[in-house]
Amino acid sequence: MATTKYIFVTGGVSSSLGKGIIAASLAKLLQARGHRVTIQKLDPYINIDPGTLNPYEHGECYVTDDGAETDLDLGHYERFLNVPTSQSNNVTTGRIYQSVIDKERRGEFLGKTVQVIPHITNEIKERIQILGKSGDYDIVITEIGGTVGDIESLPYIESIRQLKWELGKQNSLVIHLTLIPYLAAAGELKTKPTQHSVKTLMESGIQADILVCRTEHKLNDELRSKLARFCNVEREAVIESIDASTIYDVPNLMLEEGLDKIVLKNLDLDDTTTPTLTRWNEFLTKHKNPKSQVTIGLIGKYVELQDSYKSILESFIHAGAENEVKVKIESIHSEYISDEVIKNQISKLDGVLVAPGFGERGIEGKIKAVQYAREHKIPFLGICLGMQMAVIEYGRNVCAFAKANSTEMDPTTPHPVIDIMEEQKSITDMGGTMRLGAWECALAEGSIVRDVYKTDIIEERHRHRYEFNDAYRDQLVTAGMKITGTNPNTGLVEIIELPDHPWFVGVQYHPEYKSTVANPHPLFVAFVKAAVTYAEKK
């Protein structure tokens, strides 16, 4: 039986250098050479998962088919590889410690004193190898969150040190992503921060095998040789990662630098095959050479931080390329939507997307945006909370339920057109208790979504506690709203449409989680196409 190979990606000098993009790009190249690859993320924070974190703290919370609330880097992994991830692809310190403490309570350690070494490190090593031992992958890439030297990361670094020794030579390697800053005053790139970062890693017993250097300027031969000499790596193992215009350029940049070749050499794997990136490069060509442009308003309440809606923004890139148009996103904070904002911004849009979210802040602004899009026939897509806002707006302004609302925002509303799910009412713990993961949805004949998906049954990922209140279904339908998607097992409403509108769709699920470079999500593709048609008519 072939041995699974392990690649560990660590970071130094600074956070936000793009470990996830480098890991995903390397995985893409190895996959393009015929290897079965997956990526996992080890997060050093003590939360069990990012589900309870404010999007301002950590960006969006990504959701997998099996209902895991995970780090947004898993979205990059799926978008690049077109392979679903799972609970096993994201591990947090909180989950590690919870598991070890649960084992201690059950008496599994036979009275031993429970310590970071060996108990925590053993748990980490076990989690790292779950995917490798499944038999589904030839190579597992593990990204370690944070920066080398952080107190929180030490147990992970120690676990890698042990694993490298246990796995044996040519079965694992460490890639260290670091920063080569440019000092404008001196007019030169500086290697000292990288030297210190590698030294810090070595103090923990780990020698980096490959250096990936983030830089704003090209690395010359002299600088590469210096880095190799001072950091104990081969000259060819110093990889330049220069700033790119799009993250989707990075696989090609890494191919030019030979990152995949040096990895295969270190892991004693065949490197004679040529990576096949035909589909990838077709996407890039379309993305970089649009034939026209549309402007879509992203109405949300976390718009100051781009990562809060990362999957939505990437889905528009995929759908834009598919339609050969540039999708310009205009972020509009829902808390500050006034008549003036509607007149000066929303009225000029080619499409309106009302984004997901939680809590009552900014809700009235979202409802105003929905109303304008409905009344002025602007293509509209509402996702999760955005779909619920469309239902509330219709209830208020068409059905004359003046105080229609969701019980999430107003528990005393006389018309709770959106209400908490029955099984959620007794839940007190907030983490990991929502309706999560992939659920089926049956599509109605003759609907926009039936035409978009070209199938009867779809499976989409969910993350919410509140639902369309079935008690109001008849009244809303009588007033003109169409229910075009329902869960075949529970009867819960998943999709609403308005027939007297060129393109108005609200979905309870999150289509953005399933859009990839190889398979742009059909709902985003159709929405962008509708925006193009609207723009042309304008």
Side-chain angles (χ1 to χ4, degrees):
M1 182 178 159
T3 305
T4 301
K5 309 283 188 174
Y6 293 86
I7 299 168
F8 303 104
V9 181
T10 60
V13 182
S14 169
S15 58
S16 302
L17 293 182
K19 290 192 298 293
I21 300 300
I22 290 296
S25 298
L26 173 59
K28 184 71 210 169
L29 294 178
L30 296 173
Q31 183 192 59
R33 285 178 178 269
H35 296 286
R36 299 173 303 158
V37 190
T38 190
I39 321 174
Q40 64 181 174
K41 174 80 180 282
L42 304 185
D43 268 313
Y45 53 76
I46 298 173
N47 301 65
I48 300 295
D49 56 46
T52 54
L53 289 175
N54 187 315
Y56 286 133
E57 286 274 326
H58 206 70
E60 77 170 3
C61 174
Y62 189 76
V63 177
T64 58
D65 278 339
D66 63 351
E69 293 179 291
T70 72
D71 183 79
L72 62 81
D73 273 329
L74 269 71
H76 290 312
Y77 306 162
E78 289 200 12
R79 286 188 281 273
F80 276 55
L81 296 181
N82 201 36
V83 175
T85 53
S86 70
Q87 182 75 69
S88 301
N89 292 78
N90 193 201
V91 181
T92 67
T93 295
R95 204 173 284 283
I96 295 289
Y97 273 84
Q98 185 184 52
S99 177
V100 170
I101 290 166
D102 287 346
K103 287 178 181 177
E104 183 272 331
R105 293 288 84 186
R106 291 194 297 268
E108 291 186 24
F109 299 127
L110 302 173
K112 293 276 188 187
T113 302
V114 181
Q115 297 175 287
V116 173
I117 303 171
H119 302 100
I120 297 297
T121 51
N122 282 350
E123 183 75 23
I124 292 169
K125 288 189 292 182
E126 192 178 302
R127 296 298 181 103
I128 288 171
Q129 294 177 93
I130 283 174
L131 291 164
K133 288 177 177 176
S134 69
D136 296 330
Y137 305 104
D138 307 314
I139 301 167
V140 176
I141 300 175
T142 302
E143 177 195 344
I144 316 299
T147 309
V148 168
D150 294 347
I151 290 172
E152 295 94 335
S153 301
L154 288 175
Y156 293 113
I157 298 298
E158 169 60 19
S159 301
I160 292 170
R161 185 195 67 76
Q162 293 178 24
L163 259 182
K164 277 205 81 177
W165 179 71
E166 291 166 16
L167 292 167
K169 286 184 177 179
Q170 297 181 320
N171 287 326
S172 70
L173 63 83
V174 172
I175 296 173
H176 191 53
L177 177 62
T178 179
L179 177 68
I180 308 291
Y182 178 78
L183 293 188
E188 60 182 349
L189 292 162
K190 289 296 184 182
T191 65
K192 192 62 74 177
T194 294
Q195 293 177 47
H196 281 302
S197 185
V198 170
K199 183 182 176 185
T200 301
L201 194 58
M202 290 179 73
E203 285 170 357
S204 297
I206 296 176
Q207 166 64 54
D209 299 291
I210 298 170
L211 283 184
V212 176
C213 306
R214 275 302 302 274
T215 174
E216 296 174 11
H217 301 270
K218 302 287 286 183
L219 304 181
N220 59 35
D221 288 339
E222 183 186 350
L223 206 118
R224 288 180 191 243
S225 298
K226 182 180 179 182
L227 282 164
R229 186 165 59 249
F230 281 101
C231 298
N232 295 344
V233 297
E234 296 175 57
R235 165 67 180 70
E236 62 183 337
V238 177
I239 304 293
E240 173 190 283
S241 176
I242 199 156
D243 290 356
S245 60
T246 167
I247 58 171
Y248 299 109
D249 277 331
V250 180
N252 281 316
L253 293 174
M254 292 302 100
L255 180 63
E256 287 171 21
E257 283 290 300
L259 176 60
D260 53 329
K261 281 203 162 216
I262 186 70
V263 163
L264 293 170
K265 176 185 168 185
N266 274 268
L267 294 176
D268 195 28
L269 293 170
D270 175 58
D271 74 344
T272 55
T273 55
T274 304
T276 307
L277 292 170
T278 310
R279 174 74 181 86
W280 186 271
N281 288 325
E282 283 172 0
F283 154 77
L284 262 178
T285 301
K286 286 181 179 178
H287 173 51
K288 291 186 172 185
N289 300 282
K291 293 177 179 174
S292 59
Q293 176 176 300
V294 292
T295 303
I296 290 177
L298 174 60
I299 317 290
K301 60 179 182 177
Y302 310 114
V303 294
E304 300 94 332
L305 183 69
Q306 291 286 293
D307 278 358
S308 299
Y309 302 112
K310 193 66 181 170
S311 291
I312 289 175
L313 297 176
E314 298 306 316
S315 298
F316 276 126
I317 289 173
H318 308 155
E322 191 72 7
N323 282 286
E324 296 188 79
V325 298
K326 175 180 171 59
V327 180
K328 182 189 173 193
I329 300 297
E330 199 163 306
S331 297
I332 300 172
H333 201 302
S334 59
E335 199 172 0
Y336 308 117
I337 290 179
S338 60
D339 291 343
E340 193 176 331
V341 169
I342 288 172
K343 180 185 172 185
N344 295 333
Q345 286 181 272
I346 294 177
S347 67
K348 297 182 171 116
L349 299 171
D350 303 314
V352 172
L353 183 143
V354 175
F358 293 90
E360 63 180 314
R361 185 171 65 88
I363 289 308
E364 293 304 320
K366 288 187 175 184
I367 292 169
K368 280 182 184 174
V370 175
Q371 182 179 1
Y372 190 88
R374 176 177 64 81
E375 291 176 348
H376 292 81
K377 311 294 186 192
I378 302 174
F380 170 84
L381 177 59
I383 296 178
C384 198
L385 184 69
M387 173 265 209
Q388 296 176 0
M389 294 302 101
V391 174
I392 292 169
E393 190 278 326
Y394 205 79
R396 287 184 187 180
N397 298 318
V398 179
C399 298
F401 302 147
K403 294 187 177 178
N405 215 324
S406 164
T407 51
E408 180 183 7
M409 323 309 167
D410 179 8
T412 62
T413 174
H415 294 291
V417 291
I418 304 296
D419 199 6
I420 194 163
M421 297 158 62
E422 197 59 41
E423 62 268 30
Q424 290 283 328
K425 289 181 179 177
S426 59
I427 288 173
T428 54
D429 287 351
M430 297 300 284
T433 55
M434 286 184 273
R435 182 175 166 203
L436 293 163
W439 293 71
E440 283 190 343
C441 175
L443 306 180
E445 284 286 345
S447 62
I448 292 173
V449 286
R450 179 72 177 76
D451 185 51
V452 164
Y453 283 97
K454 301 195 169 24
T455 185
D456 299 329
I457 300 282
I458 57 169
E459 242 189 31
E460 293 281 4
R461 299 177 192 177
H462 290 249
R463 184 176 182 252
H464 58 99
R465 295 181 198 282
Y466 292 79
E467 297 272 5
F468 181 104
N469 186 348
D470 220 46
Y472 286 88
R473 184 194 287 234
D474 290 345
Q475 288 150 292
L476 288 160
V477 169
T478 302
M481 181 176 281
K482 284 177 74 175
I483 309 298
T484 58
T486 52
N487 183 290
N489 302 313
T490 63
L492 290 168
V493 172
E494 299 276 13
I495 308 171
I496 60 106
E497 295 180 18
L498 297 183
D500 59 345
H501 192 288
W503 209 96
F504 191 106
V505 178
V507 296
Q508 183 59 77
Y509 50 82
H510 289 261
E512 70 272 21
Y513 291 150
K514 291 184 78 170
S515 187
T516 70
V517 168
N519 286 308
H521 197 286
L523 204 56
F524 277 90
V525 173
F527 177 46
V528 170
K529 189 177 180 183
V532 171
T533 303
Y534 178 82
E536 287 170 352
K537 285 180 180 173
K538 274 202 308 184

